[in-house]
Amino acid sequence: MTSDLPVIDHWIAGAPSAGGDRLGPVFDPALGEVAKQVRLGTTADVDAAVAAAKEAFASWSQTSIAKRTQVLFAFRELLNARVGELAEIVTSEHGKVLSDAAGEIARGLEVVEFACGIAQLQKGAYSEQASTGVDVYSLRQPLGVVGIISPFNFPVMVPMWFFPIAIALGNTVVVKPSEKDPSASLWLARLWQEAGLPDGVFNVVNGDKEAVDALLVHPDVSSISFVGSTPIAQYVYETGTRAGKRVQALGGAKNHMLVLPDADLDLVADSAVNAGFGSAGERCMAISVVVAVDSVADALVEKVTERMATLRIGDGRRGCDMGPLITREHRDKVAAYVDQASADGATVVVDGRKGEFDGAADGFWLGPTLVDRVPTSSAVYTDEIFGPVLSIVRVAGYEEGLALINSGAFGNGTAIFTNDGGAARRFQHEVEVGMVGINVPIPVPVAYHSFGGWKQSLFGDTKAYGTHGVDFFTREKAVTARWLDPSHGGINLGFPQNS
Ligand code: NAD
């Protein structure tokens, strides 16, 4: 690394902050070179950000709903007008193609729009005359300083699953973005400032394990919202809850798509290619296994292969369909699964290592790969590969497919493709997965339904955004009130009963 590369700082109390001098590389994956450096935050940097957030909480939590809502609307308008600018930042550090980067921003904007309705969402409940002359009501109050730790694959959308709602409810925020693509969070911090958010409400500390660990045990941090791989999610959940925090930790995935014989195979093939190879398979809701009933599997493999041949892989700034992977190490790790597949007896139908790429020679390229007849004992089937490798597993029928899906360690997303409403209804009822698509391959719920998986895909009992988000970022207070009335009175040491 050369010292003249730009350095991405933290953002604390409304201004860039340099802090400690540990630095990490930020690549441009389509060029395959280090383009910037990022500060790797120290415990002292986290302390500074949390202190700023704590100070800002004192006034932001007391700011009226009307004023908080105005800031949210202003942020929404600014972001909506500048999607292209942010998409370019995402593409330059993540590698996903520009249209896909714009797509993740649009899904993040949905959560901002949901949070604009905070006046309705933050309402408590009121029970008049719960007892004679007594009213009972509940209030939703913000938690305080909330920590958000995000993965590399959605540098805009994932933090935005959390912070618009947290901020709208009166909390203050410290975001720890992925160190692989940190610039989007800094850009969003400046946008918040432009929208009129008081300094200190939204802070960013860049970094790695050291910054995460400091947030997890900081006494002034009330909650942690984490998204990343399963082992780290489990670690974060256990460490954060042990430190007395409210924690939601979303983990990894291995999403199956069950194809019944009556499905529209052209729709299935389009969906499998889109959901398997979009964002180079680096999506937690990517389809990585197509579970095809035997009678249609050959025809489906043929249709998927035809479509794969039309994909243009290359620099996301050049109008390609699919970009590079995030790092060279990750590309090599994903590519190694192709050899593993052959060694385990699977059929490699399309080997993505042999493709042509419209980009710099050193880019972290790996083309779409299709592997048929994958044994379920193979690591290709059991591991979360997180790359453009689509597996086909053949089953005799619905029951075998369902049992396979339900036996998996993860339970993030799944889909069924069929024209049989009865089969689809059975599937939605019987499948042990948190998000289900019916003829929809990537069933990411809209902002007013919550996002989250089951099993090893979510630690904690609260999903992201929607009403779960409102619950997670508030504490409820129940008030029982009686105003002076001449009919009351008298001493009674018994437990209060309602009359
Ligand atoms: P990751 O687990 O490597 O990193 C996630 C975050 O944890 C980053 O901010 C990183 O800096 C931090 N981190 C990494 N190692 C750590 C450690 N040892 N101790 C403490 N913190 C650590 O994940 P990633 O590679 O950035 O993202 C890909 C993963 O995220 C995949 O497993 C994917 O399925 C998952 N993901 C899940 C969802 C979901 O909604 N369930 C959404 C997006 C991504």
Side-chain angles (χ1 to χ4, degrees):
M1 264 185 282
T2 57
S3 56
D4 52 4
L5 290 172
V7 175
I8 302 161
D9 287 327
H10 314 300
W11 181 269
I12 297 175
S17 165
D21 51 16
R22 271 200 319 136
L23 295 172
V26 177
F27 290 92
D28 183 324
L31 302 179
E33 59 189 35
V34 180
K36 302 166 200 161
Q37 297 180 89
V38 61
R39 298 257 177 224
L40 299 177
T42 60
T43 302
D45 299 328
V46 170
D47 287 346
V50 174
K54 188 179 176 185
E55 194 185 330
F57 181 73
S59 54
W60 182 244
S61 61
Q62 303 304 316
T63 302
S64 70
I65 290 175
K67 288 196 176 122
R68 280 185 267 138
T69 304
Q70 281 164 11
V71 174
L72 263 291
F73 269 90
F75 181 75
R76 190 264 171 202
E77 289 304 298
L78 287 170
L79 182 52
N80 197 39
R82 294 197 208 155
V83 169
E85 199 183 311
L86 184 55
E88 278 176 25
I89 293 171
V90 171
T91 296
S92 70
E93 293 182 2
H94 177 284
K96 64 177 71 177
V97 301
L98 279 172
S99 56
D100 197 33
E104 82 157 281
I105 298 165
R107 295 307 300 262
L109 264 167
E110 278 184 19
V111 182
V112 181
E113 288 160 3
F114 174 73
C116 285
I118 209 67
Q120 179 67 16
L121 296 166
Q122 199 166 1
K123 268 184 185 166
Y126 198 103
S127 302
E128 189 192 31
Q129 197 73 345
S131 185
T132 307
V134 175
D135 303 329
V136 179
Y137 45 98
S138 48
L139 317 173
R140 287 175 178 276
Q141 296 188 333
L143 302 180
V145 180
V146 304
I148 297 168
I149 302 162
S150 59
F152 81 82
N153 66 320
F154 285 110
V156 174
M157 181 184 79
V158 165
M160 285 176 67
W161 283 351
F162 306 104
F163 68 63
I165 297 173
I167 288 173
L169 289 163
N171 298 283
T172 58
V173 171
V174 178
V175 177
K176 206 301 283 172
S178 169
E179 64 276 37
K180 299 191 175 94
D181 44 16
S183 293
S185 289
L186 274 296
W187 188 92
L188 289 165
R190 290 179 192 278
L191 206 72
W192 273 121
Q193 193 170 55
E194 205 174 319
L197 190 71
D199 292 346
V201 176
F202 184 84
N203 306 277
V204 179
V205 176
N206 284 306
D208 51 13
K209 181 172 170 52
E210 183 175 341
V212 171
D213 284 345
L215 269 177
L216 291 181
V217 298
H218 198 296
D220 291 332
V221 173
S222 304
S223 73
I224 297 288
S225 301
F226 172 91
V227 182
S229 58
T230 288
I232 310 295
Q234 186 164 5
Y235 165 77
V236 163
Y237 182 75
E238 289 170 1
T239 312
T241 50
R242 212 179 302 122
K245 298 186 195 321
R246 191 178 279 205
V247 182
Q248 50 181 179
L250 285 73
K254 187 85 184 180
N255 305 316
H256 297 66
M257 173 198 235
L258 178 58
V259 182
L260 299 189
D262 65 345
D264 176 334
L265 286 191
D266 286 306
L267 173 68
V268 174
D270 287 347
S271 302
V273 169
N274 295 342
F277 305 122
S279 197
E282 292 172 328
R283 289 181 183 147
C284 64
M285 289 292 274
I287 290 294
S288 46
V289 184
V290 175
V291 181
V293 169
D294 231 343
S295 55
V296 294
D298 284 341
L300 182 57
V301 168
E302 200 179 311
K303 284 178 184 289
V304 169
T305 309
E306 278 167 19
R307 285 161 172 78
M308 288 171 69
T310 67
L311 297 178
R312 242 182 85 214
I313 320 306
D315 192 318
R317 292 160 288 221
R318 296 187 191 176
C320 296
D321 299 302
M322 190 184 109
L325 275 75
I326 185 74
T327 59
R328 184 170 289 113
E329 292 70 30
H330 186 58
R331 188 269 315 273
D332 293 347
K333 186 173 163 217
V334 174
Y337 281 100
V338 187
D339 289 330
Q340 181 76 49
S342 303
D344 291 345
T347 310
V348 178
V349 183
V350 181
D351 184 344
R353 295 172 300 185
K354 297 179 181 153
E356 282 180 14
F357 309 110
D358 181 5
D362 286 340
F364 307 143
W365 310 115
L366 180 65
T369 296
L370 185 64
V371 191
D372 192 9
R373 299 180 186 276
V374 177
T376 53
S377 55
S378 169
V380 176
Y381 175 75
T382 53
D383 288 1
E384 180 185 34
I385 297 176
F386 220 58
V389 177
L390 185 62
S391 296
I392 309 273
V393 173
R394 296 168 179 236
V395 292
Y398 171 87
E399 300 290 349
E400 191 185 339
L402 177 77
L404 182 68
I405 296 170
N406 284 349
S407 68
F410 301 105
N412 211 41
T414 190
I416 186 169
F417 278 72
T418 180
N419 281 315
D420 179 342
R425 191 171 179 281
R426 261 191 78 184
F427 185 75
Q428 76 179 32
H429 184 66
E430 295 174 342
V431 77
E432 292 168 15
V433 173
M435 291 173 282
V436 180
I438 296 174
N439 298 317
V440 172
I442 305 186
V444 174
V446 289
Y448 37 98
H449 287 266
S450 302
F451 180 107
W454 287 11
K455 301 182 183 172
Q456 298 284 300
S457 296
L458 174 63
F459 299 87
D461 53 9
T462 319
K463 295 179 167 194
Y465 62 76
T467 53
H468 282 226
V470 177
D471 289 342
F472 185 80
F473 289 117
T474 50
R475 301 194 276 189
E476 199 193 53
K477 186 180 278 178
V479 181
T480 303
R482 172 164 53 197
W483 289 96
L484 284 185
D485 177 319
S487 68
H488 84 93
I491 299 290
N492 181 353
L493 300 194
F495 194 68
Q497 294 180 27
N498 298 320
S499 54

